[in-house]
Amino acid sequence: MSAEAHEEDAASSLLLDDIQRRLRSAFRSPISHQEPGKQQQEQQQSWEGSGRRTTALQEALRRAYIDGAIAWLRAELLEMQFQNWQLARTLVDLNLEMQQLKIENELSTASECPTLGKITVSSE
């Protein structure tokens, strides 16, 4: 499940819980005992409070999603940095091996051809 789908599921679950809570509270208290204006005012306050909570929850979920994305990016960058280090180390090792092979090749060529070795030695 993707992070966005998980975020949407969490937000939907919170919204459904809020609606369920409001419905239960609406059917618990008898309407006849309250004044009509007072009931409407309480409902308005309940909706405004839940709206603020929903907005706060959405903001918290958004921040958590962003924090998760940043953590993933950091992990990926660290992995890439490690791979770059490994590649650089491999290239340095290959370069050293090439230099050693070049030296060995020059030495073997010089030892196989004595006149070349004398020319090289005499020219120095």
Side-chain angles (χ1 to χ4, degrees), residues 17-27 46-47 50:
D17 288 342
D18 185 51
I19 291 170
Q20 183 181 24
R21 181 190 53 77
R22 278 191 251 144
L23 285 171
R24 284 184 181 159
S25 67
F27 287 106
S46 174
W47 280 100
S50 67

Side-chain angles (χ1 to χ4, degrees), residues 11 24 26 28 30 32-33 54 59 67 98 108 111 114:
R24 284 184 181 159
R28 257 190 234 144
S32 61
H33 293 178
T54 302
E59 184 64 29
D67 289 344
M98 287 171 46
S108 68
S111 66

Side-chain angles (χ1 to χ4, degrees), residues 88-102:
R89 184 68 197 155
T90 301
L91 291 173
V92 167
D93 290 343
L94 286 172
N95 188 27
L96 287 174
E97 287 180 36
M98 287 171 46
Q99 294 298 322
Q100 287 174 346
L101 288 172
K102 183 179 176 183

Side-chain angles (χ1 to χ4, degrees), residues 32-93:
S32 61
H33 293 178
Q34 295 181 351
E35 299 173 17
K38 187 175 182 179
Q39 180 187 7
Q40 187 177 6
Q41 183 181 8
E42 287 177 0
Q43 286 178 345
Q44 181 67 26
Q45 289 172 348
S46 174
W47 280 100
E48 288 172 357
S50 67
R52 280 186 232 118
R53 279 180 290 201
T54 302
T55 303
L57 289 173
Q58 287 174 344
E59 184 64 29
L61 287 172
R62 191 175 302 119
R63 285 182 185 157
Y65 176 75
I66 290 170
D67 289 344
I70 289 171
W72 178 81
L73 282 172
R74 282 184 182 145
E76 288 296 312
L77 288 172
L78 285 173
E79 177 65 24
M80 289 172 66
Q81 184 180 22
F82 179 70
Q83 289 175 354
N84 285 341
W85 179 84
Q86 284 181 321
L87 181 59
R89 184 68 197 155
T90 301
L91 291 173
V92 167
D93 290 343

Side-chain angles (χ1 to χ4, degrees), residues 1-13 61 65:
M1 182 179 283
S2 72
E4 288 180 355
H6 184 67
E7 179 181 323
E8 289 175 6
D9 286 346
S12 297
S13 176
L61 287 172
Y65 176 75

